[in-house]
Amino acid sequence: MSKDTDVGYRIREMIPEDNSAVAALIRSNLKNHGLDIPGTVYFDPCIDNLYEYYLNGINRGYYVLVDKDDNVLGGIGFDEFSPFQDCAELQKLYLADSVKGNGLGYRLISYIEDRMTEAGYKASYLETHSNLQAAIHIYEKSGYSLIERPKEVAHGAMTNFYYKRFEIL
């Protein structure tokens, strides 16, 4: 599935050749915010093979934002979050510095929420860190509400937890 944006970028499903670009994008974003520490996705064993991780699951996926030359400039994924009923976890939303501030984070969130509802989810959960103020701003403007830390948190260094119930028409 691919979607063109009105600013010359498109969103498409991740392919195996995207693994290294996505891993580098995630690690550079985390490092730039002082989050290249244990307890973050920076050290997840699957980070270098995200395509395979998302391929091998049911009702999960990862998508990349690419330019006209198919260079990866961002990404976002989702997977089931079983502690909450009918809930997916919004995962690994990252953008290259060169495209930040253009509203593309909102577009990726909207896109992934559509994929979540298509997969049958009725809500979304996410975890982030207080160092990522731009991301927190985007999540809150996208309708996510701050919740208490769930006991099932996978990344121990995360400090902020959000939830959004979808309006299903």
Side-chain angles (χ1 to χ4, degrees), residues 60-91:
R60 66 180 172 196
Y62 198 84
Y63 302 85
V64 292
L65 175 75
V66 297
D67 64 14
K68 63 180 175 44
D69 297 320
D70 213 36
N71 296 307
V72 173
L73 300 172
I76 191 168
F78 76 97
D79 195 359
E80 180 178 7
F81 189 68
S82 58
F84 298 162
Q85 185 174 354
D86 299 321
C87 185
E89 181 179 3
L90 186 155
Q91 299 178 331

Side-chain angles (χ1 to χ4, degrees), residues 1-3 10-13 63 111 115 118:
M1 180 175 296
S2 176
K3 177 185 179 185
R10 69 185 167 94
I11 301 167
R12 64 163 170 76
E13 288 183 291
Y63 302 85
Y111 185 84
R115 304 297 74 78
E118 287 171 0

Side-chain angles (χ1 to χ4, degrees), residues 37-51:
I37 58 173
T40 68
V41 70
Y42 191 93
F43 289 104
D44 273 6
C46 73
I47 200 75
D48 292 303
N49 298 295
L50 284 181
Y51 172 80

